[in-house]
C-alpha cells in the first residue's frame, strides 16, 4: 500500500510539473521522503545551488519531523494515562490554534482529536471497515471537553484520547520551509509535499501554473495561475481501501464515524497561509460545498484565502473566490460554476 501511495505521489508530482506549462528553463530539483510522503523542492530562479537546496530542505524537514514526533515518535499522539499532558513547540502550537479555530467553526467536523477513529480505521492498510460498536467506542473518545489546548500544551482527560496531525503536518512543513527560503531572499521555488504545493514568489516574474489532478487519473482537469501561496488538495482518492466494491477513504467525519460523504471527490484550497490551506482542504472535504462557502467567507480576510476549487462526485467543478480569474479548465468534459 505504501508503494501504491508513493507511486500516486510520484504521478502527482509529474502532473504538477507537466501542468506548469510555461517552464522556460528546467528547475533544479531536490527530492526527499518525509512524513510518509514523497517531497520535492524545485528552484526556477537559477539563484540557488542544488547543494544549498538539499541542505536547507534536509535541515528543515528533520527539524519539523522531530517537532511533530517529539514526545511520542509518531504523528498520532495518544494519552496513555488519564490527565496526560503534552507540551509543544511554539510554531506547532500556533498551528494547533488554527486547527482549533476550524474545529469550532465546523462544529467538530474537522477535529485533530479524531485520532482514536483514524487509528481504528487504519486507512489505507486495513482490508475491511471496523465493527460499528468499535466505531461508537472510538467516537466516545472524541470529546470537545476532554481535550484542552491552553496555547502551549495539549491535555487529555482519558486514556486512549489523542490527536492526529495528519491533516496539518504537510502544511506545517511547507510553512516552515517557505519561511526559510523566503527569509533567505529566494524566489521562484516550488515545494511539492505529496501534492501540497507551496510557491515561494513567482516564476521569473510570471505566475506558476499549478494543475489539479483528475481523481484516479494521471492528468490535470484544470490549472490555476498563482504566486506566493499554497495550493492544497484533499481527495478521497488519495488513500483508501476497497471492500465489497466500496471505497473507504482516509478523511473521516467525526460526526458519523465513517469516511466523509459530502458529494466531493476533491477540494483544492488556494491560500497565502500555508497551514490554513492544509487545514481547510481537509475541513471543506468533510463539510461539503455549501458549508465551505460560509467557512471560507469567515476566514478569508485574516488568512489570505484566494479561493477554492471543488470537484463534485458528478464531475462538476465549482470555483469559489478571486481565484476564478486565474482558473483555466483543461478538460471540456467537466462543467464549471463560478461562485
Ligand atoms: P489531508 O490529506 O490533508 O486532507 O489529511 C488527511 C488526514 O487527516 C487523514 O489521513 C487523517 O490523518 C486526518 N483526518 C481525517 N479525518 C479528519 C478530520 N475529520 N479532522 C481532522 N483530521 C482528519
Ligand atoms: Mg489537510
Amino acid at each position: 500500500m505504501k508503494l501504491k501511495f508513493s507511486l500516486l505521489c510520484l504521478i502527482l508530482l509529474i502532473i504538477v510539473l507537466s501542468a506548469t506549462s510555461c517552464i522556460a528553463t528546467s528547475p533544479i530539483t531536490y527530492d526527499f521522503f518525509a512524513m510518509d510522503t514523497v517531497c520535492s523542492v524545485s528552484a526556477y530562479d537559477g539563484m540557488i545551488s542544488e547543494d544549498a537546496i538539499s541542505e536547507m530542505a534536509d535541515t528543515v524537514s528533520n527539524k519539523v519531523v522531530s517537532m511533530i514526533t517529539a514526545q511520542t515518535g509518531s504523528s498520532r499522539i495518544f494519552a496513555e494515562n488519564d490527565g496526560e499532558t503534552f507540551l509543544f513547540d511554539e510554531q506547532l502550537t500556533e498551528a494547533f490554534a488554527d486547527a482549533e479555530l476550524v474545529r469550532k467553526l465546523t462544529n467538530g467536523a474537522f477535529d485533530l482529536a479524531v485520532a482514536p477513529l483514524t487509528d481504528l480505521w487504519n486507512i489505507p492498510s486495513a482490508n475491511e471497515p471496523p465493527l460499528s460498536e468499535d466505531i461508537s467506542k472510538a467516537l466516545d473518545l472524541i470529546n470537545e471537553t476532554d481535550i484542552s489546548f491552553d496555547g502551549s500544551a495539549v491535555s487529555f482527560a482519558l486514556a486512549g484520547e489523542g490527536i492526529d496531525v495528519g491533516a496539518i503536518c504537510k502544511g506545517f512543513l511547507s510553512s516552515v520551509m517557505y519561511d526559510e527560503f523566503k527569509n533567505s531572499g529566494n524566489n521562484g521555488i516550488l515545494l511539492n509535499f505529496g501534492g501540497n504545493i507551496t510557491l515561494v514568489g513567482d516564476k521569473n516574474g510570471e505566475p506558476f501554473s499549478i494543475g489539479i489532478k483528475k481523481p484516479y487519473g494521471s492528468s490535470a482537469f484544470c490549472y490555476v495561475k498563482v504566486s506566493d501561496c499554497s495550493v492544497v488538495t484533499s481527495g478521497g482518492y488519495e488513500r483508501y481501501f476497497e471492500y465489497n466494491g466500496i471505497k473507504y477513504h482516509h478523511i473521516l467525519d467525526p460526526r458519523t464515524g465513517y469516511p466523509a460523504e459530502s458529494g466531493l471527490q476533491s477540494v483544492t484550497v488556494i491560500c497565502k497561509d500555508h497551514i490554513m490551506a492544509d487545514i481547510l482542504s481537509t475541513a471543506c472535504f468533510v463539510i461539503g460545498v455549501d458549508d465551505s462557502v460560509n467557512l471560507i467567507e469567515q476566514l478569508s480576510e485574516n488568512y489570505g484565502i484566494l479561493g477554492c476549487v471543488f470537484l463534485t462526485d458528478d464531475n462538476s467543478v465549482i470555483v469559489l473566490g478571486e481565484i476564478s480569474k486565474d482558473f483555466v479548465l483543461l478538460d471540456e468534459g467537466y462543467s464549471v460554476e463560478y461562485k
Side-chain angles (χ1 to χ4, degrees), residues 110 165-171 196 232-234 238 250-251 274-283:
F110 177 89
V165 297
I168 61 166
C169 58
K170 284 182 274 174
N196 272 47
V232 179
T233 300
S234 289
E238 287 172 327
H250 69 310
I251 304 177
H274 315 292
I275 297 172
M276 194 46 102
D278 198 6
I279 292 173
L280 287 177
S281 66
T282 313

Side-chain angles (χ1 to χ4, degrees), residues 182-200:
K182 192 82 179 172
N183 295 339
S184 320
N186 287 286
N187 183 57
I189 292 184
L190 185 153
L191 312 176
N192 182 354
F193 300 158
N196 272 47
I197 308 294
T198 295
L199 308 164
V200 182

